[in-house]
Amino acid sequence: MVDFNIGIIGAGHIAGVIAETIAKLDGFKIGAIASKDQARADEFAAKYGIEKAYGHYADLLADPDIELVYIATVHAAHPFIAIEALKAGKPVLIEKPLSYNAKTAQTVMAFARQQKLFCGEAMWTRYMPLTQHFRELIEKKVIGDICSATATLGYKLTDKVRLLRPELAGGALLDLGIYPLSMIFLAMGEFPLGAISSTVRLNSNVDAIDSIAMNFTRGRIATICTSMMHQLDNRAVFYGTRGRIEIEGTNLPTFVRVYGENGEILEETMPPENQISGYEYEFLAARNAIIMEKVEPAEITHTETLRTLQFMDQMRAQWKISFPLPEEPKPEGPAGEGKEPPKNGAPQS
C-alpha cells in the first residue's frame, strides 16, 4: 500500500504531536516539513524522521509528492497559507480555528470550492469515534430532547506567547472556547438565538477567561466557561427530558456516560483501544474525502465551521476585542465595557 503523503507547515508543538501520531498510523507518512526558519525545519525533520525540510512554505507547496497540506501555524496565518496551498493545487487540513474570523474563513472555503479541492478544519474532537457515538445518542434521543447543557475547558497557558498577542489572533475563545461551543452546537443541532457573555482581558486586549450563556429554540439553554489562566474540570453535560449524557474531556473525550431519569448509569463508552492520540481520525477523514472528491469533511462541514466563527465574532464584538489583522472590524468605543485594560499583563477583574 502506497502511503498517503502529508506536508506540514509550521514546526511548533502541535506539528510534533501530529508527526508522532502519523508515524504510528498505517497508510500515512509525513513527507515534508516547512518552517520560515530552515534550521528549525531541519531540526524538526531530524527529530521525526522526515525526508524533506523546507525553509520556505512555497517550496513545500511546490512539492509534487505532497497530497495534503496540514497547516499548523499561529491562527493569524491560517487563511493566507490556505489560499496559497489551494492556488498550488493542494488540499488543506487547517488546524482549528480554520481562520481568525468568519469573513476570511468564508474566502478560503469559497476558493476551495472554486478549485474543487478539499478544505477541512482540524477540529480533532469532531472526528473522534466517541464524538460520533455521542452524535448518535443525540439523534436517537436516548435521553429524550436536549433541554440544557454546560461545558468547560481551561488550562494554564500563560506561557504560550501566541495566545497573548492580538496580532497572532490570540486569546482563550479561539484556542479553547471553540471546543465547548462546537460540542454544544452539535448537540443542539442549531446555533444560538442570542447570548449574554462576559470576559476577563489581559492588557494586550485578548480574552483570558470567558463565560457565555446562550438560548436556543424551544426554550433550551447552554453555558460554557473557558480559561487560559487556570485549569478547569473540562467536562460537558447534556440534560434531556429522560436523563443526561456526561462527557469527560471536552476536547479529548475519555468516556461518554449515559444516565437515565433516576440517575442510573445506562451505558459508558470508552475510546477505541487502538486509538493513537485522537488526532489520527481527522487525517483518515481527510484522505477519504479527497478520494471521494469532496471539498469538505462530513464530520464538520463548512457551514458548521463558518457559523461557529460567526458566533465567536459576535462574542468578540460584545467584548470590543478586535485583532489588528486584515478583514477585521474595528471595535467601537473603549475595550471591555468601557474599562481600560490593566498594566503589566495582569488580568482585568
Side-chain angles (χ1 to χ4, degrees):
M1 180 178 181
V2 177
D3 288 336
F4 190 70
N5 208 351
I6 299 166
I8 299 179
I9 290 183
H13 170 74
I14 189 62
V17 174
I18 296 301
E20 291 175 349
T21 300
I22 296 301
K24 301 174 183 177
L25 184 61
D26 291 340
F28 290 77
K29 75 171 185 178
I30 305 298
I33 176 69
S35 172
K36 289 182 177 180
D37 183 332
Q38 183 67 56
R40 189 173 186 185
D42 291 338
E43 180 182 0
F44 190 98
K47 181 176 181 179
Y48 297 106
I50 300 170
E51 181 180 349
K52 300 175 184 177
Y54 297 115
H56 300 280
Y57 298 163
D59 293 338
L60 184 146
L61 298 180
D63 188 329
D65 295 329
I66 298 303
E67 298 175 271
L68 171 68
V69 173
Y70 170 68
I71 299 173
T73 62
V74 296
H75 301 159
H78 288 181
F80 309 107
I81 298 172
I83 290 291
E84 293 305 311
L86 293 166
K87 285 180 180 178
K90 303 294 187 186
V92 290
L93 184 62
I94 307 165
E95 187 53 54
K96 62 82 204 160
L98 188 142
S99 186
Y100 52 85
N101 66 18
K103 189 172 185 179
T104 51
Q106 193 165 24
T107 298
V108 173
M109 294 171 186
F111 190 61
R113 290 180 178 277
Q114 178 184 323
Q115 299 292 95
K116 298 181 180 179
L117 289 169
F118 173 81
C119 170
E121 182 178 36
M123 171 68 75
W124 67 322
T125 310
R126 291 292 294 269
Y127 298 88
M128 295 177 187
L130 272 190
T131 302
Q132 299 308 310
H133 178 62
F134 169 66
R135 184 199 294 263
E136 292 171 1
L137 293 173
I138 297 298
E139 290 175 349
K140 292 177 180 178
K141 296 193 174 184
V142 172
I143 61 167
D145 295 318
I146 298 294
C147 301
S148 63
T150 64
T152 65
L153 189 66
Y155 301 99
K156 188 174 182 180
L157 299 175
T158 50
D159 61 333
K160 305 293 184 184
V161 174
R162 66 180 180 84
L163 296 181
L164 308 179
R165 295 170 58 181
E167 69 272 20
L168 301 182
L173 183 64
L174 267 65
D175 204 68
L176 299 174
I178 190 172
Y179 287 111
L181 287 174
S182 181
M183 293 299 282
I184 284 174
F185 297 160
L186 174 63
M188 294 296 187
E190 64 179 7
F191 290 80
L193 298 174
I196 298 173
S197 67
S198 61
T199 190
V200 174
R201 297 175 303 114
L202 301 183
N203 72 321
S204 60
N205 202 33
V206 299
D207 61 299
I209 306 172
D210 307 321
S211 177
I212 303 173
M214 298 159 277
N215 66 302
F216 297 82
T217 59
R218 304 192 302 279
R220 299 175 299 161
I221 61 172
T223 61
I224 75 156
C225 183
T226 191
S227 173
M228 66 179 191
M229 304 298 290
H230 58 285
Q231 182 81 30
L232 299 178
D233 63 352
N234 300 340
R235 299 174 71 248
V237 185
F238 301 86
Y239 301 92
T241 53
R242 297 199 308 270
R244 72 181 188 274
I245 298 173
E246 295 183 357
I247 299 177
E248 186 70 27
T250 305
N251 60 335
L252 176 56
T254 56
F255 69 71
V256 173
R257 185 177 293 150
V258 181
Y259 293 83
E261 290 183 78
N262 299 316
E264 72 278 17
I265 297 176
L266 301 181
E267 72 165 74
E268 182 175 277
T269 307
M270 314 292 282
E273 291 184 2
N274 62 348
Q275 181 165 298
I276 300 170
S277 66
Y279 285 101
E280 64 266 32
Y281 304 114
E282 61 195 49
F283 290 93
L284 290 164
R287 182 183 64 179
N288 290 342
I290 291 167
I291 290 171
M292 297 297 293
E293 298 184 346
K294 304 292 185 181
V295 297
E296 62 185 345
E299 292 81 357
I300 179 164
T301 65
H302 286 177
T303 297
E304 291 177 284
T305 291
L306 187 62
R307 292 290 299 277
T308 301
L309 280 166
Q310 288 171 339
F311 181 77
M312 293 194 295
D313 286 351
Q314 292 170 11
M315 295 302 96
R316 290 194 295 114
Q318 283 188 13
W319 307 333
K320 297 182 173 60
I321 289 177
S322 179
F323 304 128
L325 294 168
E327 305 294 341
E328 269 280 281
K330 301 301 179 184
E332 297 180 4
E337 300 178 353
K339 297 179 182 178
E340 288 302 317
K343 306 300 181 184
N344 303 322
Q348 177 176 309
S349 59

